[in-house]
Amino acid sequence: MRTKHVAAVFFALLSFGVLRAGTPIEILLYPEGPQESNGLSGPEVFDADGRVKNVSVPRLFVYLPERDSNPTGQAIVVCPGGGYSHLAERAEGVAFAQWLNEEGIAVAVLRYRLPNGHSEIPLKDAQTALTIVRSHASEWGIDPHQVGIMGCSAGGHLAATATTHFTDSVNRPDFSILVYPVITFDDGNMHRGSRVRLLGERFDADQVNRYSNERWVTPQTPPTFLVHCTDDKTVSPQNSMLFFDALRRCGVTAELHIFPKGGHGWGFITEPDKLDAAYRSELKTLLLRWLNERRTGSTE
């Protein structure tokens, strides 16, 4: 469906009062099809846990808060993780959207193309998604200066890449939320699967440098919230610490929380839950306070 047709459907539903949180607007990132191929073909493959594989046609699923939730004007592009081999769309996308909608925040879950060794493709999709959300700001009740990005695990790597490799004010996130993110591709702390699937089996030092995002933080990097768990055996919490330290050195507003237990991949689905309920409740409070600060500028 083309973007202009989606917009028409949106306004029709809105006029009848039936567009509700939880019913996403689906938008193709490239209505005429992507210019470049990631080498994958055939249909997308879904499993019972809400994970999707074989993504070659990127989409946005836009969840808007209901009017009685007192919309804040903020919007977040969410990049699910999955080691760049699949997308944990339900646990690390839709679940966040449902919660954040309740808090008046719009969410666009990004079904980005899996790289399959084509390293530039996920970043292009993330930057395009940010641009699309800003282009619809007036229609969706969004402040174009309050559009952030969020990602978990390899989706956190993609979000961190968009946070550090933006090219202009249109595809620059206004803030970034990184949940147990892959940050570095250096041998000591990298997640091997994410590195190989993004760069391919044959990569060079320049590619490792480009996608080790702690090396690309500058004073222009947007404010960033990071969360990890001490016992994460999949992606070392050192990843978040490296990024936080780089932000601190550059004078960028940053906040890092490392919970003692929870492991990896807990997303925002409560059952079965790896993250202790007390930590989850605390995380919600911390993140909502931080987002409010971004909106009001109280700590800038």
Side-chain angles (χ1 to χ4, degrees):
M1 185 179 290
R2 297 174 185 270
T3 301
K4 64 181 181 181
H5 292 160
V6 173
V9 171
F10 167 74
F11 282 118
L13 291 171
L14 187 61
S15 66
F16 285 98
V18 297
L19 186 65
R20 305 178 66 82
T23 303
I25 306 164
E26 181 177 345
I27 297 179
L28 290 173
L29 263 63
Y30 314 107
E32 305 301 329
Q35 293 180 341
E36 63 287 287
S37 171
N38 60 353
L40 299 175
S41 61
E44 295 171 345
V45 178
F46 299 83
D47 70 15
D49 293 319
R51 294 178 293 219
V52 56
K53 297 181 179 180
N54 209 46
V55 179
S56 60
V57 179
R59 297 174 177 85
L60 273 179
F61 296 90
V62 182
Y63 295 80
L64 300 176
E66 295 187 7
R67 279 178 269 184
D68 60 6
S69 66
N70 296 317
T72 67
Q74 287 180 315
I76 302 174
V77 173
V78 176
C79 307
Y84 285 127
S85 70
H86 65 273
L87 303 180
E89 200 166 274
R90 183 166 68 96
E92 297 176 351
V94 176
F96 279 110
Q98 291 171 338
W99 169 59
L100 289 167
N101 273 186
E102 293 173 359
E103 302 297 335
I105 299 167
V107 173
V109 178
L110 174 59
R111 185 179 293 174
Y112 55 91
R113 287 174 289 173
L114 296 168
N116 192 33
H118 297 75
S119 60
E120 294 292 331
I121 281 179
L123 176 59
K124 180 180 179 181
D125 290 353
Q127 291 175 334
T128 302
L130 288 161
T131 301
I132 288 173
V133 171
R134 284 199 170 96
S135 74
H136 287 274
S138 60
E139 300 165 31
W140 296 341
I142 292 167
D143 181 344
H145 303 294
Q146 284 291 309
V147 178
I149 197 163
M150 177 180 187
C152 301
S153 194
H157 183 267
L158 176 55
T161 306
T163 298
T164 54
H165 291 69
F166 53 87
T167 60
D168 55 37
S169 60
V170 179
N171 63 40
R172 175 189 181 272
D174 293 304
F175 55 86
S176 182
I177 302 165
L178 307 179
V179 181
Y180 42 84
V182 176
I183 293 293
T184 189
F185 277 178
D186 277 342
D187 286 339
N189 295 292
M190 59 86 185
H191 178 247
R192 185 180 185 281
S194 294
R195 185 173 73 174
V196 168
R197 294 180 193 110
L198 186 69
L199 305 183
E201 291 286 354
R202 297 181 179 180
F203 53 83
D204 57 32
D206 287 343
Q207 289 175 293
V208 170
N209 179 65
R210 174 167 172 74
Y211 292 102
S212 292
N213 290 309
E214 76 279 7
R215 301 179 183 178
W216 297 90
V217 173
T218 71
Q220 286 70 49
T221 302
T224 302
F225 181 101
L226 300 111
V227 59
H228 226 114
C229 290
T230 302
D231 63 349
D232 190 330
K233 306 300 184 186
T234 303
V235 176
S236 168
Q238 188 67 27
N239 282 263
S240 286
M241 290 188 279
L242 284 168
F243 202 69
F244 175 79
D245 194 47
L247 293 162
R248 182 186 58 81
R249 288 197 307 270
C250 288
V252 177
T253 299
E255 189 164 321
L256 168 63
H257 298 279
I258 300 182
F259 294 106
K261 294 187 299 180
H264 187 81
W266 34 266
F268 237 63
I269 291 179
T270 56
E271 295 291 343
D273 200 354
K274 297 180 182 178
L275 190 66
D276 185 273
Y279 299 152
R280 186 176 295 278
S281 176
E282 183 178 352
L283 173 59
K284 287 183 174 182
T285 299
L286 292 167
L287 183 53
L288 289 176
R289 184 264 305 155
W290 188 84
L291 285 168
N292 183 63
E293 291 172 353
R294 307 282 70 71
R295 189 169 66 255
T296 62
S298 59
T299 64
E300 298 298 323

